[in-house]
């Protein structure tokens, strides 16, 4: 198909007029502000309303990314950290043109809306890595949002402010509620979807009062509702950061520190944590994840552990898909070269393994667990065993627990719960973390930035067709095309070159972690 030359697309929003671009039946608006710049008096504080602008605002280029440390090798490839800047609370929108099939103005109802929350260990992230045009091609308004990461987003000082990065996500969803109809979307039919820390964020959003009513459906890819820090551990991190900066342990003092110095201090703190993962100093939850910046159970924004609130009924009216990749956490061991260097002694130790949490930190009776995993995976190397334990602890068991909790709570509401496993193996890697993202976005043909280098040559387009269509179907109707998850059968869609539904495919792992995770 011959591309049509891009032309201007103009939309009026509550805060002013935006000029984007229109080509090939898709209108694109980039760098749209959903909150005021978190600089000056707004630094390290909850997001403030965006101020109306005069005239027409250009929305043809990506906006700033949030301030962030340089991503580690284990985080993947191109994060566009060079776009970092102060006006970072912005989002990108792809929507069908008015004359396109299914576009606004065709029919009487607005289009389904999908809002992507990106991952990055709560430390890095850039919207420029994600292209939503193929969702728009298929009749969906796709929105990709920025949110503050690192200390900017998750500094906790027990001072009445917490989880401002999570509140950025809430503010973006409120903006979508108030403005997305101007782009052809239905504010009553919003699906949030995200991967890794983005999915973990959605697990929190499902559980918190401030996000109630902002989305109708949720898709969690390789992340669920377990990863939050207790207030005491988070306050230790905040105190350590203030000490490294040489300033009082106050938000005002830390906010006055230049951004570059703050990021340097964050890097120093992370380096120290990796070198000395002492639970007595950092807290067990920090050592188990080696993620110092996470959502915090502050008693206000996050009242208590998200998985517990979901089990008690929070989010029971929301339709949910949750899933993982078969060898999810193997990615980080493989691309850093650690996979081949893990030894039996290292598996049994209490020290971190070249920048990865010590096996003992996962809370399993380590010796018995390793014996069980060796018996279950008789041909596995020590590195493969570590990858299996990490995959189960980080994402697989939390995903199963979320499906269990949500399906039980949703029995009285009629909301659906669905589970999947992404099983297609990339050459030389396996079905690892983040590999499913370009299939979900259907961007294999563009060698998607950030994830494209994982795919090898000729990744299966038929798998992208199937997975992308399932996500679109779910966002449109609430039904992705396979049976719901029930404790009796635990139906799980396995995505590979061919797709099939498997009942309870992870029964051994589920039983192994019962009462532990």
């Amino acid at each position: 198909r011959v591309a049509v030359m891009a032309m201007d697309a103009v939309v009026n929003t509550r805060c002013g007029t935006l000029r984007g671009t229109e080509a090939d039946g898709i209108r694109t608006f980039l760098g749209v502000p959903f909150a005021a710049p978190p600089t000056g008096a707004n630094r390290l504080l909850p997001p403030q309303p965006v101020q109306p602008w005069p005239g027409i605002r250009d929305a043809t280029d990506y906006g700033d990314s949030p301030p962030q440390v340089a991503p580690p090798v284990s985080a993947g490839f191109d994060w566009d950290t060079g776009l970092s800047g102060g006006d970072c609370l912005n989002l990108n929108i792809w929507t069908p043109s008015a004359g396109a099939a299914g576009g606004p103005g065709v029919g009487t109802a607005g289009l389904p809306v999908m809002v992507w929350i990106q991952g990055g260990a709560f430390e890095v992230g850039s919207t420029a890595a994600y292209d939503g045009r193929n969702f728009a091609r298929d009749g969906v308004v796709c929105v990709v949002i920025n949110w503050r990461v690192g200390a900017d987003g998750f500094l906790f000082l027990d001072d009445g402010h917490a989880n401002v990065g999570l509140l950025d996500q809430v503010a973006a969803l409120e903006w979508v509620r108030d403005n997305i109809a101007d782009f052809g979307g239905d504010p009553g039919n919003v699906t949030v979807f995200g991967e890794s820390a983005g999915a973990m964020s959605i697990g929190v959003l499902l559980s918190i009062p401030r996000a109630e009513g902002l989305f109708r459906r949720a898709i969690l890819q390789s992340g669920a509702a377990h990863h939050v820090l207790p207030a005491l551990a988070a306050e230790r991190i905040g105190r350590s950061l203030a000490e490294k900066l040489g300033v009082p342990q106050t938000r005002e003092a830390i906010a006055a520190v230049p951004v570059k110095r703050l990021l340097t201090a964050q890097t120093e703190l992370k380096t120290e944590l990796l070198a000395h993962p002492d639970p007595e100093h950092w807290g067990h939850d920090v050592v188990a994840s080696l993620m110092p910046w996470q959502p915090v159970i502050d008693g206000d924004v996050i009242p208590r552990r998200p998985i517990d609130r979901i089990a008690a009924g929070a989010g029971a009216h929301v339709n949910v898909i949750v899933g993982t990749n078969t060898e999810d956490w193997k990615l980080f061991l493989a691309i850093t070269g650690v996979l081949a260097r893990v030894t039996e002694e290292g598996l049994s130790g209490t020290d971190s393994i070249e920048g990865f949490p010590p096996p003992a930190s996962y809370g399993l009776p380590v010796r018995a667990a390793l014996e069980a995993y060796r018996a279950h995976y008789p041909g596995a190397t020590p590195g493969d065993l570590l990858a299996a334990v990490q995959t189960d602890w980080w994402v697989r068991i939390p995903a199963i627990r979320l499906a269990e909790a949500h399906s039980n709570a949703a029995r009285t509401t009629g909301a659906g719960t669905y589970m999947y496993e992404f099983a297609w193996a990339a050459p030389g890697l396996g079905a690892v973390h983040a590999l499913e993202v370009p299939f979900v976005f259907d961007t294999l043909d563009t060698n998607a930035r950030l994830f494209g280098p994982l795919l090898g040559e000729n990744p299966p387009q038929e798998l992208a067709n199937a997975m992308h269509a399932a996500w679109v179907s779910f966002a449109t109707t609430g039904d992705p095309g396979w049976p719901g998850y029930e404790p009796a059968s635990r139906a799980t869609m396995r995505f590979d070159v061919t797709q099939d539904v498997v009942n309870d495919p992870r029964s051994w792992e589920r039983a192994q972690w019962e009462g532990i995770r």
Side-chain angles (χ1 to χ4, degrees):
R1 187 177 59 155
V2 177
V4 177
M5 182 177 296
M7 57 184 179
D8 287 349
V10 177
V11 166
N12 296 315
T13 72
R14 292 189 178 191
C15 290
T17 302
L18 292 168
R19 180 192 292 116
T21 57
E22 182 170 352
D24 291 333
I26 296 167
R27 297 183 299 162
T28 303
F29 300 87
L30 304 176
V32 179
F34 64 82
T39 56
N42 294 334
R43 182 137 172 79
L44 303 185
L45 292 175
Q48 300 301 306
V50 63
Q51 295 302 305
W53 56 84
I56 299 177
R57 182 184 178 109
D58 182 77
T60 60
D61 290 318
Y62 292 107
D64 293 341
S65 294
Q68 57 197 274
V69 298
V73 172
S74 61
F77 302 91
D78 184 3
W79 284 96
D80 287 314
T81 53
L83 293 173
S84 294
D87 196 2
C88 62
L89 298 185
N90 58 72
L91 50 79
N92 307 323
I93 304 165
W94 292 264
T95 185
S97 301
V106 178
T108 58
L111 299 174
V113 180
M114 298 186 72
V115 179
W116 176 255
I117 302 179
Q118 59 192 298
F122 297 102
E123 290 186 347
V124 296
S126 168
T127 63
Y130 306 94
D131 187 338
R133 70 179 56 249
N134 286 339
F135 282 108
R137 175 200 65 194
D138 295 329
V140 172
V141 179
C142 183
V143 181
V144 177
I145 69 172
N146 265 327
W147 44 285
R148 282 172 285 179
V149 294
D152 276 73
F154 297 95
L155 174 68
F156 183 75
L157 301 171
D158 197 18
D159 61 352
H161 296 295
N163 298 301
V164 298
L166 193 71
L167 293 177
D168 292 343
Q169 298 171 15
V170 171
L173 289 169
E174 291 173 337
W175 187 96
V176 167
R177 176 196 62 198
D178 296 339
N179 293 276
I180 206 64
D182 297 324
F183 298 85
D186 178 359
N189 188 13
V190 173
T191 298
V192 289
F193 68 131
E195 185 265 346
S196 197
M200 295 171 191
S201 296
I202 294 171
V204 179
L205 292 173
L206 276 168
S207 77
I208 64 173
R210 298 195 193 196
E212 287 181 8
L214 292 176
F215 54 93
R216 186 175 179 182
R217 302 185 176 107
I219 305 174
L220 301 91
Q221 301 169 207
S222 298
H226 278 58
H227 283 284
V228 288
L229 290 180
L232 182 60
E235 190 175 6
R236 288 176 181 172
I237 296 293
R239 181 168 59 248
S240 178
L241 181 69
E243 290 171 354
K244 291 189 178 304
L245 293 170
V247 300
Q249 190 181 337
T250 68
R251 194 164 298 266
E252 182 180 24
I254 295 174
V257 173
V259 171
K260 186 175 181 180
R261 174 67 187 113
L262 181 63
L263 295 177
T264 299
Q266 288 182 60
T267 300
E268 292 170 353
L269 188 153
K270 184 68 172 282
T271 300
E272 183 180 326
L273 169 61
L274 294 175
H276 305 288
D278 180 4
E280 293 299 319
H281 177 71
W282 301 103
H284 171 81
D285 298 87
V286 176
V287 169
S289 67
L290 298 183
M291 289 198 309
W293 311 108
Q294 296 182 51
V296 181
I297 304 172
D298 65 321
D300 177 20
V301 177
I302 303 177
R304 60 191 177 108
R305 214 169 61 124
I307 188 64
D308 296 333
R309 281 185 53 82
I310 292 168
H317 288 83
V318 177
N319 296 303
V320 169
I321 295 176
V322 60
T324 60
N325 298 354
T326 302
E327 299 162 280
D328 232 299
W329 237 248
K330 182 181 177 182
L331 171 69
F332 307 109
L333 295 167
I335 65 177
T336 55
V338 174
L339 187 71
R341 298 198 295 269
V342 178
T343 64
E344 293 288 348
E345 293 76 19
L347 281 182
S348 302
T350 57
D351 294 331
S352 59
I353 301 173
E354 295 187 56
F356 293 90
S361 70
Y362 296 116
L364 280 163
V366 178
R367 186 170 300 171
L370 288 174
E371 290 174 358
Y373 271 76
R374 285 191 187 98
H376 192 69
Y377 299 103
T381 66
D384 287 335
L385 290 175
L386 178 60
V389 172
Q390 288 187 327
T391 292
D392 290 342
W393 184 88
W394 274 95
V395 290
R396 180 166 291 138
I397 299 305
I400 291 172
R401 302 302 181 224
L402 175 57
E404 292 170 339
H406 185 266
S407 64
N408 287 332
R411 286 177 181 174
T412 60
T413 68
T417 309
Y418 302 90
M419 177 158 271
Y420 76 89
E421 181 173 321
F422 181 87
W424 181 74
L429 274 178
V432 295
H433 195 66
L435 189 65
E436 87 288 355
V437 173
F439 292 88
V440 165
F441 278 79
D442 190 16
T443 50
L444 302 185
D445 59 336
T446 60
N447 195 33
R449 297 174 73 182
L450 183 61
F451 306 104
L454 298 176
L455 300 176
E457 295 184 5
N458 301 315
Q461 180 61 44
E462 60 269 30
L463 174 55
N465 295 342
M467 202 166 192
H468 178 78
W471 266 228
V472 170
S473 175
F474 180 73
T476 304
T477 69
D479 182 358
W482 68 87
Y485 187 92
E486 299 285 348
S489 61
R490 301 178 186 269
T492 302
M493 172 60 83
R494 180 169 285 163
F495 283 102
D496 205 330
V497 175
T498 59
Q499 294 78 52
D500 59 326
V501 176
V502 182
N503 288 336
D504 201 8
R506 297 294 170 181
S507 58
W508 180 85
E509 289 87 348
R510 178 169 53 80
Q512 181 70 24
W513 292 85
E514 191 66 44
I516 300 169
R517 186 73 171 149

